């Protein structure tokens, strides 16, 4: 071994506080001269670098990063030792602090910084994961569309957790909806008949059971449907984890990495389960919303007012506005039940249930269904109202309703009506001259008293004349300059008089427009209108040579 000039001398004057020699320091320390030769190393440094003996070349016994730092600190023109440097040695991360010694020598104090670096790295990774999970939750919950939620889940999983991701949803019949994504590619939706048992742990994950370790899954044995198209190269590592939902599994997530990518470790598998939990909650919420929307739409069809039309030569038109613009149903309702032949009466009803919104709409649905069941009794309005009252008295809903019934039949050019009010505003009749009359009918409301009574009015309409059924939402609508004046019956009568001779649909549209203009943006009750009009110039026409005829204008 070559001995460099000065390599045998001791670095005098290098003494630790308290008088202890630097060679006894617990931290590794070594002295190197300007020529890059080791002058001396303490016991801790010798244990760390076994070749660090006096006379050895520094670059032969220490990591290259430390030798380079010494060269920069001692080269000609240098300003002496700079700040500390850091680097790896075997499994350790070391931080070297230089101290100027005699004759240009440099003492390098070495500190084991491995634990701090590991802690900083772990903290950095945890912050990144926390930020990723927060972003994932925001994106996943941003949409209540199931397909969109599946797309976000597999796209984020492929971009941050694996090279590719496949989401398998619970079976719809015999087919499983799936969404797949390869990092950097678009999401592909498919639906197929698959065998979940072909992928270890997938059947269990779809049932909500905990995942199996990735080391139990042989990537080479995966079926073709489990490997998304576009994932080039052999699969090297696979993770299968459930997507837990609200009491029911939301599906399973398959993560795949190429053979060239490091395999999933235990912490990554745990993190994948945390992400899958968030994705499962979002998917479950989206699926629940979709189911509730479908149910609501189905039920809403039965609650919404029907579209009215001409029946056996008589025009029927209806208009409805809920108390809130955000709602489609409420406590007011109307129905028309056409008769099977022109010589029979068509039955119409308009009602007002106590209350507003969906709760009131539920009771209107019950009343409408009950009335339909009582149609065979429609020739006797009072008997029908008694039966309906009995049904509501025994109902768990503590609500009452007011009704007006109309039985309508056309005889030649005359339209005959039987009108019965049950606690409801009396129908108004507008003649072709513009005169407005009130039907002479009255009765007790339904659902409040054990016994009800009613008086039926008989009315005849000539061509162009209209009978208007309406709820008190029209007359009690508040508006005007200060928004506190009722629309009132007088305004309604005057507006109806202006509608003399108009078709039923035009009558309803005009009255709705006037009431809406009067209310403006202010609060109001439910508003419902039904116009029954005897049209001008109707005649009975045969559909063909032998079937029953129909009235046309």
């Amino acid at each position: 071994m070559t001995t460099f000039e000065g390599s045998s001398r001791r670095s005098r004057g290098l003494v630790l506080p308290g008088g202890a020699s630097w060679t006894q320091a617990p931290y590794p320390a070594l002295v190197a001269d300007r020529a890059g030769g080791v002058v001396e190393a303490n016991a801790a440094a010798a244990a760390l670098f076994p070749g660090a003996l006096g006379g050895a070349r520094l670059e032969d016994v220490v990591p290259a990063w430390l030798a380079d730092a010494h060269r920069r600190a001692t080269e000609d023109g240098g300003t002496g030792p700079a700040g500390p440097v850091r680097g790896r040695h075997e499994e350790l991360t070391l931080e070297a602090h230089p101290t100027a010694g005699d004759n240009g020598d440099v003492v390098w104090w070495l500190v084991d910084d491995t634990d701090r670096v590991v802690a900083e790295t772990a903290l950095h990774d945890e912050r990144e994961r926390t930020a990723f999970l927060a972003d994932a939750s925001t994106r996943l919950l941003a949409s209540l569309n199931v397909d969109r939620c599946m797309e976000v889940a597999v796209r984020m999983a492929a971009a941050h957790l694996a090279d590719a991701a496949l989401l398998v949803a619970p079976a719809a019949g015999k087919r499983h909806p799936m969404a797949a994504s390869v990092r950097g590619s678009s999401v592909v939706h498919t639906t197929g008949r698959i065998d979940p048992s072909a992928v270890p742990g997938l059947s269990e994950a779809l049932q909500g059971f905990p995942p199996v370790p990735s080391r139990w899954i042989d990537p080479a044995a995966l079926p073709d449907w489990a490997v998304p198209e576009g994932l080039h190269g052999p699969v090297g590592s696979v993770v299968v984890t459930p997507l837990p939902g609200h009491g029911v599994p939301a599906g399973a997530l398959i993560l795949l990495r190429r053979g060239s990518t490091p395999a999933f470790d235990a912490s990554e598998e745990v993190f994948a389960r945390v992400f899958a939990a968030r994705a499962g909650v979002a998917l479950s919420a989206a699926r629940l919303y979709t189911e509730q929307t479908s149910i609501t739409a189905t039920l809403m069809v039965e609650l919404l007012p029907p579209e009215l039309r001409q029946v056996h030569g008589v025009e029927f038109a209806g208009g409805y506005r809920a108390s809130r613009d955000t709602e489609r149903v409420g406590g007011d309702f109307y129905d028309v039940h056409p008769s099977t032949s022109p010589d029979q009466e068509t039955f119409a009803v308009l009602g007002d249930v106590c209350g507003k919104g969906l709760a009131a709409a539920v009771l209107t649905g019950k009343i409408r269904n009950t009335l339909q069941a009582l149609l065979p009794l429609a020739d006797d309005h009072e008997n029908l109202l008694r039966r309906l009252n009995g049904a509501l008295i025994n109902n768990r809903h503590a609500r009452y309703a007011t009704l007006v019934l109309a039985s309508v039949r056309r005889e030649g050019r005359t339209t005959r009506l039987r009108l019965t009010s049950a606690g409801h505003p009396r129908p108004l009749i507008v003649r072709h001259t513009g005169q407005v009359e009130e039907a002479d009918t009255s009765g007790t409301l339904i659902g409040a008293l054990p016994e009800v009574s009613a008086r039926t009015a008989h009315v005849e309409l000539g061509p162009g004349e209209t009978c208007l059924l309406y709820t008190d939402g029209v007359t009690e609508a508040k508006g005007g300059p200060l928004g506190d004046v009722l629309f009132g019956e007088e305004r309604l009568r005057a507006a109806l008089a202006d509608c003399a001779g108009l078709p039923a649909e035009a009558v309803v549209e005009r009255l709705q427009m006037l009431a809406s203009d009067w209310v403006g943006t202010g609060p109001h009750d439910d508003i419902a209108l039904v116009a029954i009009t005897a049209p001008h110039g109707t005649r009975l026409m045969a559909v063909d040579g032998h079937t029953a005829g129909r009235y046309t204008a």
Side-chain angles (χ1 to χ4, degrees), residues 130-411:
T130 300
F132 167 70
L133 290 176
D135 183 45
S137 297
T138 301
R139 294 191 184 185
L140 287 166
L141 294 173
S143 174
L144 289 174
N145 180 277
V146 175
D147 289 342
R148 174 60 180 163
C149 194
M150 293 174 67
E151 289 179 11
V152 173
V154 294
R155 184 181 291 114
M156 296 194 75
H160 298 276
L161 305 179
D163 294 321
L166 174 67
L167 193 155
V168 182
K174 296 183 178 180
R175 294 180 174 272
H176 288 267
M178 295 180 289
S181 177
V182 177
R183 183 179 299 177
S185 301
S186 59
V187 177
V188 177
H189 287 272
T190 57
T191 302
R193 301 184 66 169
I194 63 173
D195 180 13
S197 63
V199 179
L202 180 57
S203 295
E204 293 79 6
L206 288 171
Q207 299 177 54
F209 290 102
V212 300
S214 62
R215 65 179 181 274
W216 291 7
I217 304 175
D218 180 9
L222 291 176
D224 292 339
W225 58 262
V227 181
E229 294 184 10
L231 184 64
H232 304 297
V235 178
S237 182
V238 182
V239 165
V240 177
T241 183
L243 298 171
H246 297 291
V248 179
L253 184 64
I254 302 176
L255 304 176
L256 305 100
R257 285 183 177 174
R258 298 183 179 93
S260 57
T261 304
F264 293 98
D265 58 29
S267 66
E268 289 174 324
E269 292 187 43
V270 172
F271 184 66
R273 292 201 293 271
V274 176
F275 169 78
R278 283 164 170 74
V281 169
L283 269 172
S284 182
R287 194 167 288 121
L288 180 61
Y289 173 79
T290 300
E291 292 175 357
Q292 290 180 338
T293 301
S294 177
I295 293 172
T296 301
T298 302
L299 295 177
M300 193 66 71
V301 171
E302 297 299 322
L303 294 178
L304 288 174
E307 293 185 7
L308 304 187
R309 55 186 175 80
Q310 188 180 97
V311 179
H312 301 313
V314 181
E315 293 181 2
F316 291 87
Y320 177 78
R321 181 180 177 183
S323 59
R324 297 178 183 175
D325 292 337
T326 55
E327 296 177 345
R328 300 177 62 193
V329 295
D332 289 4
F333 68 96
Y334 57 81
D335 258 325
V336 172
H337 301 277
S339 60
T340 57
S341 65
D343 58 346
Q344 294 180 336
E345 292 180 320
T346 292
F347 181 75
V349 58
L350 180 139
D352 184 358
V353 171
C354 174
K356 301 178 183 178
L358 185 59
V362 171
L363 184 55
T364 68
K366 179 180 178 62
I367 293 176
R368 291 172 66 185
N369 291 335
T370 304
L371 283 171
Q372 188 166 14
L374 294 175
L375 282 179
L377 305 178
D379 57 344
D380 185 345
H381 288 182
E382 189 171 359
N383 185 29
L384 183 148
L385 291 173
R386 283 197 299 268
R387 299 294 182 92
L388 177 61
N389 185 69
L392 293 186
I393 288 291
N394 296 324
N395 185 42
R396 61 185 179 88
H397 297 282
R399 294 179 183 271
Y400 59 85
T402 64
L403 301 172
V404 59
L405 310 180
S407 293
V408 185
R409 180 174 60 193
R410 183 167 182 80
E411 297 180 358

